[in-house]
């Protein structure tokens, strides 16, 4: 449809959207006439706005009021007119520092990413966290006393996860060291699932050079990890309160609550992931253009992040009012997804 608009119509649509993003208020023909680079009378601007309204790209919220973009108008603007801004060096450093993996668990890294998206965008930040399937670098059993031990796992990208397990009765103190040494020899370069399968087979075939009690410790540790990383992932959301700034009525609040309930439904999040994967990059869902957002007055900008096999394992995004600053937020989401992807196993970030 963008090809059907002449330069004058595109420019007026752009100015209406930019005014909407800036103030959230309708903009009139007289104001637009002053902002246009080419000289046009308010009457001419009104005629162009009327044509854009007939095309479903603008609407008048009140009689004799200025115009606002429809969701279709926003979609057209984002797809065909928007000029993306560049991230500042400060934003890039903030993203890289906050998402640093050193000494953090996978969940902590993703929570930091969600917090960061919320803070930088002043919207709600969300991260869809994947099942953990990274390659392992180190695993260790640390005694806690009272028949319990801490299992510490470190991935080859430096992410750390901890789990507590119960120990079998009569376990000698040396068994935890034995379990650590045995698993350390088996896990290098393998994922958790690969390590579990190999070790379970060795123990079943009685080829494991460890005693029965130590074997129970090893199996308990791997089982705890497998249970914790099973499933399709979890949605981490931060900054929902930012969406309440534009809420004008109780019904709007209920629509936003319903949105997050819908997002938490696994099938909806997976559907969004699939859409982002097919689009091979940042995906934008605007208001009525998506079933999830049709009643909320919200938009979502989301980008998948990939593992080293180039497989989509999660997504990072921002949910905000339809008048969010797309030019700033789109490159921010895109860059953050690349940073997180690199930390979780990829090697490139641009």
């Amino acid at each position: 449809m963008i090809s059907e608009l002449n330069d004058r119509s595109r420019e007026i649509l752009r100015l209406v959207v930019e005014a909407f993003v800036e103030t959230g208020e309708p903009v009139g023909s007289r104001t637009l006439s002053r902002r246009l680079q080419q000289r046009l009378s308010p009457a001419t601007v009104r005629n162009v706005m009327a044509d854009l309204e007939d095309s479903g790209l603008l609407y008048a919220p009140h009689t004799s009021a200025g115009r606002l973009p429809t969701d279709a108008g926003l979609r057209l603007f984002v797809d065909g007119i928007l000029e993306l801004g560049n991230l500042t060096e400060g934003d890039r450093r903030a993203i890289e520092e906050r998402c640093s993996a050193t000494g953090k668990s996978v969940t902590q890294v993703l929570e930091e990413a969600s917090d960061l998206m919320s803070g930088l965008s002043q919207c709600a930040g969300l991260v869809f966290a994947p099942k953990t399937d990274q390659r392992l670098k180190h695993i260790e059993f640390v005694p806690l006393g009272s028949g319990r031990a801490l299992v510490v796992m470190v991935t080859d990208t430096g992410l750390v996860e901890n789990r507590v397990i119960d120990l079998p009765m009569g376990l000698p103190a040396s068994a935890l060291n034995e379990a650590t040494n045995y698993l350390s020899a088996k896990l290098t370069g393998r994922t958790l699932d690969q390590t579990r399968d190999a070790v379970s087979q060795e123990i079943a075939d009685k080829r494991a050079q460890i005693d029965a009690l130590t074997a129970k410790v090893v199996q308990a540790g791997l089982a705890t990890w497998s249970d914790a990383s099973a499933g399709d992932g979890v949605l981490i959301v931060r900054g929902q309160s930012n969406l309440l700034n534009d809420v004008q009525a109780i019904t709007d609040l209920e629509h936003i609550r319903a949105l997050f309930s819908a997002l938490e439904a696994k099938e909806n999040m997976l559907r969004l992931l699939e859409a982002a994967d097919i689009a091979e990059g940042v995906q934008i869902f605007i208001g009525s253009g998506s079933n999830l957002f049709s009643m909320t007055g919200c938009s979502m900008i989301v980008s998948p992040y990939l593992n080293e096999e180039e497989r989509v394992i999660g997504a990072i995004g921002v949910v905000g009012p339809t008048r969010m600053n797309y030019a700033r937020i789109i490159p921010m989401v895109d860059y953050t997804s690349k940073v997180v992807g690199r930390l979780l196993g990829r090697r490139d970030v641009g």
Side-chain angles (χ1 to χ4, degrees):
M1 188 175 187
I2 189 68
S3 61
E4 299 175 8
L5 298 182
N6 58 32
D7 291 342
R8 178 184 296 178
S9 297
R10 291 186 196 188
E11 180 67 5
I12 288 176
L13 177 61
R14 181 183 68 81
L15 289 175
V16 172
V17 173
E18 289 179 352
F20 174 61
V21 168
E22 182 181 350
T23 68
E25 299 295 329
V27 60
S29 56
R30 193 170 299 278
T31 300
L32 291 175
S33 177
R34 290 195 296 266
R35 293 184 180 182
L36 282 167
Q37 293 182 348
Q38 54 182 310
R39 285 183 171 275
L40 292 177
S41 68
T44 301
V45 172
R46 277 195 299 275
N47 289 334
V48 175
M49 293 170 74
D51 290 340
L52 291 171
E53 188 171 358
D54 290 341
S55 299
L57 302 177
L58 300 182
Y59 75 100
H62 309 291
T63 305
S64 74
R67 299 298 188 273
L68 290 171
T70 63
D71 291 341
L74 284 171
R75 177 87 260 172
L76 188 64
F77 168 80
V78 168
D79 289 344
I81 299 175
L82 175 66
E83 294 181 5
L84 296 179
N86 293 316
L87 286 180
T88 67
E89 284 303 313
D91 284 343
R92 288 175 180 261
R93 281 196 303 271
I95 291 169
E96 292 177 3
E97 289 172 3
R98 285 286 298 277
C99 295
S100 170
T102 305
K104 295 176 183 176
S105 68
V106 173
T107 300
Q108 286 173 326
V109 169
L110 297 176
E111 286 176 345
E112 289 279 8
S114 185
D115 278 333
L116 181 66
M117 290 295 91
S118 174
L120 290 178
S121 68
Q122 291 302 297
C123 298
L126 61 84
V127 174
F128 185 65
K131 173 183 176 181
T132 301
D133 62 352
Q134 300 176 71
R135 301 190 185 280
L136 307 180
K137 180 180 180 182
H138 177 74
I139 193 167
E140 185 174 354
F141 294 83
V142 180
L144 296 177
S146 304
R148 305 172 82 199
L150 183 70
V151 189
V152 181
M153 185 178 77
V154 183
T155 71
D156 63 358
T157 56
L159 295 171
V160 180
E161 292 283 2
N162 303 306
R163 300 284 187 276
V164 176
I165 63 169
D166 294 320
L167 300 175
M169 295 291 292
L171 186 77
S174 61
L176 292 182
N177 285 333
E178 189 178 354
T180 295
N181 293 335
Y182 171 75
L183 278 178
S184 295
K186 303 295 179 185
L187 58 78
T188 303
R190 287 173 167 162
T191 66
L192 176 62
D193 287 343
Q194 291 168 340
T195 302
R196 184 198 61 230
D197 292 344
V199 168
S200 297
Q201 192 61 54
E202 274 202 8
I203 291 175
D205 295 344
K206 303 188 185 306
R207 290 183 289 113
Q209 301 299 308
I210 50 177
D211 62 35
L213 286 179
T214 303
K216 287 185 178 181
V217 172
V218 169
Q219 290 178 310
L222 292 176
T224 299
W225 280 105
S226 297
D227 291 344
S229 62
D232 293 300
V234 64
L235 183 66
I236 301 171
V237 182
R238 295 290 185 272
Q240 297 100 313
S241 60
N242 289 332
L243 298 184
L244 304 181
N245 294 335
D246 286 346
V247 168
Q248 304 294 325
I250 294 297
T251 52
D252 294 335
L253 178 59
E254 292 303 320
H255 288 151
I256 290 174
R257 285 175 177 163
L259 167 64
F260 282 102
S261 295
L263 284 174
E264 287 169 0
K266 181 176 65 177
E267 62 272 16
N268 285 329
M269 203 59 219
L270 291 177
R271 197 174 299 121
L272 293 176
L273 273 181
E274 289 171 2
D277 186 20
I278 292 170
E280 296 183 349
V282 178
Q283 185 80 345
I284 303 162
F285 301 87
I286 298 177
S288 58
S290 165
N291 289 337
L292 279 176
F293 300 92
S294 59
M295 299 294 292
T296 64
C298 290
S299 295
M300 180 170 75
I301 299 169
V302 64
S303 179
Y305 54 91
L306 293 75
N307 63 9
E308 58 189 353
E309 284 83 30
E310 302 293 318
R311 182 169 60 86
V312 173
I313 56 174
I316 288 176
V318 165
V319 175
T322 53
R323 69 181 192 90
M324 69 168 76
N325 189 336
Y326 296 93
R328 169 174 162 74
I329 296 175
I330 290 172
M332 183 180 71
V333 169
D334 183 43
Y335 188 74
T336 304
S337 72
K338 290 177 180 176
V339 170
V340 171
R342 179 192 61 185
L343 293 175
L344 297 183
R346 284 171 59 82
R347 299 287 178 259
D348 68 300
V349 61

